[in-house]
Amino acid sequence: MKAKGIAATILSALLFGFTPVLASKTYDMGSTPETLTFYRNLLVVPILFLILLIRREDFRLSGRTLSCVVLFGVLGRGATTLMLYSAYPYAGIGISTTLHFLYPVFVALLCRIFFKERLGLVKSAVLVMAVCGILFFLEKGQSGALTGIILAVVSGFTYALYMVGLDKTRLKDISPYKNSFYMAIAVAAGMLLYNIPTRKIVFALPPKAFAYTLVIAVCTSLLAVILLQVGIRYLSATTAAIFCLFEPISCSVSGWLFLGEEIRWQKIVGSLLILAAAAILMAVKEPCRPRRKVSAG
């Protein structure tokens, strides 16, 4: 069972890590980060709907639970995807994904600020390590790369908000399929509203770009998520989270192989520091525990 959990978690990480290559290729065909964020959520809605029907799950949500779904779906999951996809053209998929993995650091900070969780010596040292890792990515005269770095770091922060929200609200007690279903609807609707003033969503994609987008949606928002849930079931969340660090490694290798992204020694050192910081934080303890259990909505 442990071997099954490890295999499922690593495969999930590899799927998450490889799909950015397809995302970058769709940009050359006229797609945009906004388009990918919109379709990545919209295309899995009917699939999740069928899964909920087959599992005979109750579709009802309470008003408070629905508000949590919309809040953390749009500001957490949706904003994270949009900013991470936006970072790829500036900083590359390998660097962007590695910087995104600062999210365990932000989780620790959010828990310290809002829930008064003590950091301790180990966590404080890890935060310093992560900041030092970021410094290795900063280079003079590369404003475009700096934009990508900022977007990737902020995507880590919004993902941390999403994780803390899942852990501290009633979202923790509803089915993951039900949660994913309503969050996908919320993000897709939010992107449509965002498109009204920006006009960034490209609805008529070339067939090849749409096929890549469909693969991205199924691989990330469905298969990788389910595999991760299997991994957590057999390994525990903390152990599975450590194996998730295969994602930025997979992303960097894929970017180098298929997109010709350059990997400099400074960025390798920075990546190792960030990934080590994330691994230590994940191994120390669960980042944030709920104060009380709430009823399912």
Side-chain angles (χ1 to χ4, degrees):
M1 290 301 180
K2 185 177 180 180
K4 183 184 292 187
I6 292 173
T9 306
I10 292 177
L11 183 55
S12 169
L14 293 177
L15 285 173
F16 276 127
F18 174 73
T19 50
V21 171
L22 299 181
S24 295
K25 289 185 177 296
T26 63
Y27 294 161
D28 297 331
M29 304 176 198
S31 185
T32 64
E34 292 80 6
T35 304
L36 280 177
T37 304
F38 171 68
Y39 277 120
R40 172 173 163 171
N41 290 276
L42 180 67
L43 293 176
V44 297
V45 169
I47 301 175
L48 288 167
F49 179 76
L50 289 175
I51 291 175
L52 289 173
L53 285 179
I54 293 171
R55 291 170 59 89
R56 297 183 178 179
E57 293 200 22
D58 185 2
F59 282 86
R60 290 176 297 179
L61 287 177
S62 68
R64 290 183 62 185
T65 302
L66 182 60
S67 64
C68 288
V69 167
V70 173
L71 177 64
F72 292 105
V74 174
L75 297 183
R77 178 167 152 175
T80 297
T81 305
L82 178 59
M83 281 186 278
L84 186 57
Y85 281 161
S86 298
Y88 292 159
Y90 294 103
I93 63 174
I95 293 173
S96 299
T97 305
T98 301
L99 290 172
H100 170 73
F101 263 72
L102 284 166
Y103 74 81
V105 176
F106 291 127
V107 168
L109 288 175
L110 288 171
C111 289
R112 176 68 183 93
I113 294 170
F114 293 103
F115 303 103
K116 309 304 179 184
E117 181 180 297
R118 296 183 61 184
L119 289 177
L121 182 61
V122 174
K123 286 188 177 181
S124 298
V126 165
L127 293 179
V128 174
M129 183 190 303
V131 171
C132 291
I134 295 177
L135 296 179
F136 278 93
F137 286 90
L138 303 180
E139 298 180 9
K140 295 181 180 179
Q142 289 190 332
S143 58
L146 181 60
T147 300
I149 288 171
I150 293 173
L151 287 169
V153 171
V154 174
S155 78
F157 177 74
T158 56
Y159 191 66
L161 287 175
Y162 169 71
M163 290 194 68
V164 173
L166 287 181
D167 194 50
K168 300 296 289 186
T169 70
R170 57 185 58 224
L171 294 179
K172 184 180 179 68
D173 298 309
I174 67 175
S175 159
Y177 296 103
K178 188 174 177 180
N179 185 26
S180 296
F181 173 70
Y182 282 107
M183 278 198 175
I185 294 175
V187 174
M191 289 307 302
L192 286 176
L193 292 175
Y194 178 77
N195 187 59
I196 294 175
T198 62
R199 301 294 179 184
K200 293 290 184 67
I201 296 178
V202 180
F203 294 100
L205 290 173
K208 191 174 183 179
F210 191 83
Y212 281 170
T213 303
L214 179 60
V215 171
I216 292 170
V218 173
C219 286
T220 56
S221 297
L222 187 65
L223 295 179
V225 170
I226 292 175
L227 286 168
L228 181 58
Q229 290 171 353
V230 172
I232 292 173
R233 178 182 302 170
Y234 291 124
L235 296 176
S236 83
T238 302
T239 305
I242 295 173
F243 283 104
C244 286
L245 293 174
F246 274 87
E247 179 182 340
I249 297 172
S250 169
C251 220
S252 296
V253 173
S254 298
W256 174 61
L257 287 176
F258 299 105
L259 301 177
E261 292 185 354
E262 184 180 4
I263 303 179
R264 299 183 180 181
W265 72 265
Q266 298 97 327
K267 293 174 182 178
I268 294 176
V269 174
S271 298
L272 291 175
L273 285 173
I274 291 173
L275 296 180
I280 293 171
L281 276 179
M282 291 171 180
V284 168
K285 60 180 289 188
E286 293 288 347
C288 223
R289 302 313 314 158
R291 291 177 179 173
R292 55 187 173 86
K293 186 174 180 179
V294 293
S295 60

